[in-house]
Amino acid sequence: MGCWTKLKSSEWAYPTTILSLYGFFANCRVAEPFLTPYLIGPHKNISEEVVTNYLFPVWTYSYLAFLFPVFLLTDFLRYKPIIMIQGLFLVTNYVLLCFAPGVPAMTVLQVNYAVVTSTEVAYLSYIYSVIPNENYQRATGYLRGAFLAGYTTGASLGQVLISVAGVDYFYINAITLGIMSIAFLITFWLPMPQRSMFFKGKQAAAVGLQSQQEGPLEENRLEDRVMDKDGADSLKEEMEHNGSAGWCSRENVATVGPVLWQSFRESYSSRHLIYWSLWWALATAGYVQVFNYIQLMWDHIEPSATSSIYNGGVEAVCCLVGAAAAFSVGHMKVSWAVWGELALGLFSAVATGAVFLMVFTSSIWVCYAGYVIFKSCYMLLFTITAFQIASNLSMECYALTFGINSFVAVTLQTIITAIVVDETALGLDIVTQFIIYGSYYAVISLLFLIRGTYTAFVNHCYPEHTDAKGPESKVEVISAERF
């Protein structure tokens, strides 16, 4: 009891612990690696063509429709209600999978799952609205660890239940339904944030705009001056009163436009950040396409109806390898400003080869290996990209950049889906689709190899150009520590 009281009194440990528990259970989706065999098997009895060319595109279109409105609504409602909605829709997702038959019900399922994925921004940004700045880095590590641990545990448990215990797919989904119910109940214990990033009163918005214009170092000085003038306690009470009493007022809503515009200008103010954001959007669109349809590729090579499948084990290995690669980024003594773009091109080329390896092999194990390589490359590069962007921006700007980059990625993914996958357009088979995805990644790797080679050559031949960025690099380090 004493430990619980001590935990609850902590201004950062309690919300981080509760949100980490939610992240673990919400991502412990035992049945997810086996979704396609379940849909095309005797339980749902839906043809592979309908799943590929009709059902999965519904999710893509719905995700695009929900993403940006949910992003703004998340900040407006202050995160917790959106996390609760995500937990509720995770429950209904597996209720539909367990008990609703037919294509119309599975169409509703895709829309339902689009709500789940579009609300992930709440999980990723909630913690920054309830804990002090100095705890951002630790909390981010715990949340990311809980996410990966949950996903790895779910995939591993599903594989063990199917391969060792011989559990039916229906009961795998029923177990996942129980786990999602636990995740939903955990959301009730999350504390309600007292502030938001974009919907602020006029005074808070003015302070935020001035601090963004003056930079991270001036922001600290500005805060010190305000503290000296009004007192720390009175300022905190005033800000919380303004934030809580008028959070849905006309004044509060009116300030969001200038704050968003200033954050947008800061987020994309440098060519360096634009290139990293470009890779984020382009690569994520291709990655999600491969991730969404990889189970269909595996079923094409070795049908799940007649063979043993190891989808869960492969996803667990991907998570472990990707986590190890991402962890290694923090220990690499590399000047990413110089070599980062070249690394994007090189590892994107490796990912391209992995996609083509999956296309042209007839061995399921080689296809599994290609997927592990592909996903690990993406997770490594995404970690580098996210850090490079976050280390140069304030939290408001990073949140907006995350939303915009994700929106651009989903828009590109929707265009690809509408042309390549949708039955009303080309409606291509799964092998041809993956040839296109491999070609798409080849273009990305070529673009960044050219750009990265040029950047590395310029910095090698003109080192004074790099030295001139010294002060900027110092600011980047400080910003990274604050993040």
Side-chain angles (χ1 to χ4, degrees), residues 7 19 88 98 118 123 137 208 215 220 240-241 257 275 285 356 366 415 430 458:
L7 176 66
L19 190 62
L88 177 62
C98 287
S118 64
Y123 173 77
Q137 187 172 1
N220 293 334
E240 289 187 356
H241 173 74
Y275 285 133
F356 283 121
V366 174
I415 294 171
I430 193 66
V458 168

Side-chain angles (χ1 to χ4, degrees), residues 190-206:
L190 287 169
M192 187 70 182
Q194 297 300 315
R195 56 192 170 98
S196 64
M197 283 188 281
F198 300 115
F199 290 89
K200 308 175 181 180
K202 288 184 179 179
Q203 180 181 355

Side-chain angles (χ1 to χ4, degrees), residues 59-93:
W59 170 81
T60 304
Y61 303 146
S62 303
Y63 186 25
L64 177 65
F66 291 140
L67 183 60
F68 205 71
V70 167
F71 173 77
L72 291 179
L73 194 63
T74 296
D75 194 56
F76 183 68
L77 296 179
R78 298 192 182 167
Y79 311 100
K80 179 179 176 177
I82 302 300
I83 296 176
M84 297 180 72
I85 289 172
Q86 184 188 51
L88 177 62
F89 274 75
L90 277 169
V91 172
T92 59
N93 195 72

Side-chain angles (χ1 to χ4, degrees), residues 275-474:
Y275 285 133
W276 287 101
S277 295
L278 179 64
W279 181 90
W280 177 328
L282 291 173
T284 299
Y287 164 77
V288 175
Q289 285 297 101
V290 172
F291 177 79
N292 282 350
Y293 295 94
I294 188 61
Q295 292 184 32
L296 289 160
M297 173 61 80
W298 291 337
D299 205 81
H300 171 77
I301 295 174
E302 195 159 314
S304 57
T306 58
S307 307
S308 299
I309 60 173
Y310 299 94
N311 301 5
V314 173
E315 290 289 359
V317 170
C318 283
C319 234
L320 293 173
V321 174
F327 178 78
S328 67
V329 171
H331 296 79
M332 292 180 182
K333 296 183 178 179
V334 178
S335 175
W336 294 113
V338 177
W339 301 103
E341 291 166 3
L342 186 59
L344 294 178
L346 288 172
F347 280 99
S348 295
V350 174
T352 301
V355 175
F356 283 121
L357 183 65
M358 291 185 274
V359 170
F360 295 113
T361 185
S362 58
S363 169
I364 188 64
W365 293 105
V366 174
C367 190
Y368 283 154
Y371 179 68
V372 170
I373 295 171
F374 171 80
K375 191 169 183 177
S376 300
C377 286
Y378 173 79
M379 292 178 71
L380 170 67
L381 294 179
F382 186 85
T383 302
I384 297 171
T385 301
F387 174 75
Q388 283 297 302
I389 293 175
S391 65
N392 286 275
L393 299 176
S394 65
M395 186 49 58
E396 290 84 355
C397 293
Y398 178 70
L400 182 63
T401 303
F402 180 90
I404 292 175
N405 290 352
S406 299
F407 183 77
V408 173
V410 176
T411 302
L412 291 171
Q413 182 194 345
T414 302
I415 294 171
I416 296 171
T417 300
I419 297 173
V420 175
V421 183
D422 200 310
E423 62 182 2
T424 60
L426 296 179
L428 300 176
D429 63 90
I430 193 66
V431 174
T432 309
Q433 284 184 41
F434 268 70
I435 292 174
I436 292 175
Y437 302 151
S439 303
Y440 174 85
Y441 254 89
V443 173
I444 295 174
S445 63
L446 181 62
L447 288 174
F448 281 89
L449 279 172
I450 294 173
R451 169 66 191 176
T453 302
Y454 170 77
T455 302
F457 176 78
V458 168
N459 283 282
H460 177 73
C461 294
Y462 305 98
E464 67 276 5
H465 179 71
T466 306
D467 295 338
K469 296 181 180 180
E472 180 182 348
S473 301
K474 184 176 180 181

Side-chain angles (χ1 to χ4, degrees), residues 197-198 200 205 209 212 255-264:
M197 283 188 281
F198 300 115
K200 308 175 181 180
L209 288 174
Q212 285 184 23
T255 61
V256 73
V259 174
L260 282 171
W261 174 243
Q262 182 60 36
S263 298
F264 175 82

